[in-house]
Amino acid sequence: MKTGEYLIQANQSPWSVIQTLTSGVSIDHPLTIREGENLYEVAAELERRGFLSQSDFITRCREEERIRKLTGASEAPTVEGYLYPDTYRITRVMSADDILNLLSRRFEAAWQPKWGERARDLGLTRHQVVTLASIIEKETGSGPERPQISSVFHNRLKKRMRLQSDPTTIYGIWERW
């Protein structure tokens, strides 16, 4: 038998039950990561739904070796920003590592080489682009407003001004907020 979560029907034969339990094909559940959700919100949802503990997920998101492996960014303090918004199919037997690998693979699949080229043109690392995109997303939920907000932030960065963005302050105190 293999560890998992299985659906056994009342009318299943004993042989069919054994086949189900030895198949290793566990029930999968949808998990939706919404645009703008941070790792604390993702961790809270995983715990609320009974997949794993919030603290374990957050701890894994902060492990230096994991960060380098999943993001390729040595300057990243967490895997924040690399947990790609999408709907995933996860099982109850998946570990925090399994879930992080799934989300970061989706990020890598979505990342387009032209974005890396544009980042280099702007003098930014991929991690800086991801961070700025996350700030812009938290600043507005409205797609049409993003280009204007992005422009304001890029102009401030060129002038070496502070971004003065409320979401950065809130994120900085998230655990105490």
Side-chain angles (χ1 to χ4, degrees):
M1 287 197 233
K2 298 183 180 171
T3 303
E5 178 184 20
Y6 302 101
L7 178 62
I8 307 295
Q9 302 291 337
N11 62 349
Q12 265 184 279
S13 70
W15 180 246
S16 177
V17 170
I18 289 171
Q19 287 178 317
T20 299
L21 296 175
T22 59
S23 72
V25 180
S26 201
I27 296 172
D28 60 11
H29 303 273
L31 172 70
T32 300
I33 309 294
R34 290 165 202 78
E35 288 184 359
E37 282 187 331
N38 63 40
L39 74 94
Y40 303 106
E41 293 165 314
V42 173
E45 180 65 9
L46 287 166
E47 182 173 271
R48 185 188 71 74
R49 303 229 354 246
F51 291 109
L52 46 90
S53 83
Q54 183 173 350
S55 62
D56 183 43
F57 187 77
I58 292 170
T59 297
R60 296 277 193 251
C61 289
R62 291 181 174 157
E63 292 174 347
E64 286 182 33
E65 185 60 33
R66 181 166 322 290
I67 293 165
R68 279 192 296 279
K69 179 183 168 203
L70 297 180
T71 70
S74 58
E75 76 269 29
T78 70
V79 296
E80 186 84 53
Y82 298 87
L83 308 178
Y84 198 80
D86 204 346
T87 297
Y88 299 89
R89 304 297 300 183
I90 64 173
T91 67
R92 298 213 183 275
V93 296
M94 291 176 79
S95 67
D97 296 343
D98 295 333
I99 293 170
L100 283 170
N101 288 336
L102 179 66
L103 274 56
S104 66
R105 279 194 311 269
R106 179 66 184 97
F107 173 88
E108 288 301 330
W111 180 263
Q112 297 179 22
K114 67 181 179 182
W115 298 341
E117 293 166 14
R118 180 70 176 131
R120 282 187 294 283
D121 291 346
L122 294 170
L124 300 172
T125 65
R126 177 170 88 159
H127 181 66
Q128 289 169 328
V129 169
V130 168
T131 301
L132 188 55
S134 296
I135 295 168
I136 293 166
E137 178 62 35
K138 279 294 194 186
E139 190 70 34
T140 181
S142 171
E145 291 179 0
R146 287 186 196 120
Q148 185 175 9
I149 290 170
S150 176
S151 177
V152 168
F153 286 162
H154 280 281
N155 288 337
R156 287 178 182 176
L157 289 170
K158 283 179 194 169
K159 295 178 181 180
R160 304 188 63 74
M161 290 175 60
R162 293 182 176 158
L163 294 183
Q164 296 182 320
S165 174
D166 290 344
T168 60
T169 303
I170 292 167
Y171 183 79
I173 62 170
W174 188 270
E175 292 181 273
R176 297 178 310 248
W177 184 55

